[in-house]
Amino acid sequence: MSSDTFTSELAQFASVEQQVDTNTNLKTLISLTQDGQQSTDMSLVGKTAVATTSELPLQNSSSSVSFNTTTEEPIAIAVSDSNGNVVKTAELTSTVGTNTWTWDGTSDSGAQLSDGSYNIAVQTADTSGNTSDVPFTVTGTVTGVTRNGSSIYVNMGDSTIDMSDVNSFSDTSSASTTSTSSTSSDSSSTSS
């Protein structure tokens, strides 16, 4: 083998070895970054989260939904359990602006349901009877943060919400002081 060929092959081996080392170091760096992100995200535990999701966390027999309307309009709310059975319905008239509906965890029959993850739908109807979905957010207390692959999830009791669906976090104490009003499970919405 000529010295030129030998030198060229040595350079190629060195380049491959550097690429292997670089890939190993990148994997380590990514893992450390993800672990650091999860540690940072754990500081969210105990905070109040507002998320755009149909998953409704019932925590301590309470959950809250907010939506905006530009006019007073009829609103229908349906809460269903994990089997898809509707357990709570509410009909109300919204006010202009932000509306909040708070559920105390009682079913339509008056039974107290256990804390857990429920699903919610909010709709309105026009004068012709055509229904349409109303965009809404749910509010809950963060009880944990989990990672599955590259995705991070916020736990609110038994509800698991993708971090990308969370709009904001706030301290529980400040969230309660900035809330101007709430409603019982059977009362109409309020404006804040």
Side-chain angles (χ1 to χ4, degrees), residues 104-144:
D104 63 4
T106 57
S107 68
D108 282 334
S109 65
Q112 181 64 49
L113 300 175
S114 60
D115 285 355
S117 185
Y118 294 83
N119 288 307
I120 187 164
V122 180
Q123 292 189 329
T124 188
D126 63 18
T127 54
S128 302
N130 300 316
T131 61
S132 60
D133 293 333
V134 175
F136 60 89
T137 58
V138 300
T139 302
T141 301
V142 177
T143 57

Side-chain angles (χ1 to χ4, degrees), residues 33-115:
T33 301
Q34 288 174 336
D35 291 345
Q37 180 64 45
Q38 190 167 6
S39 294
T40 300
D41 291 340
M42 289 306 292
S43 68
L44 298 173
V45 172
K47 293 194 181 290
T48 299
V50 176
T52 304
T53 179
S54 61
E55 234 180 293
L56 181 65
L58 182 62
Q59 298 173 289
N60 299 318
S61 298
S62 182
S63 62
S64 175
V65 178
S66 295
F67 54 92
N68 289 315
T69 56
T70 56
T71 61
E72 289 185 4
E73 52 191 84
I75 300 290
I77 297 174
V79 178
S80 56
D81 63 16
S82 60
N83 296 321
N85 302 315
V86 175
V87 295
K88 180 68 177 180
T89 57
E91 293 181 8
L92 48 103
T93 301
S94 68
T95 58
V96 175
T98 301
N99 294 263
T100 299
W101 180 74
T102 300
W103 180 41
D104 63 4
T106 57
S107 68
D108 282 334
S109 65
Q112 181 64 49
L113 300 175
S114 60
D115 285 355

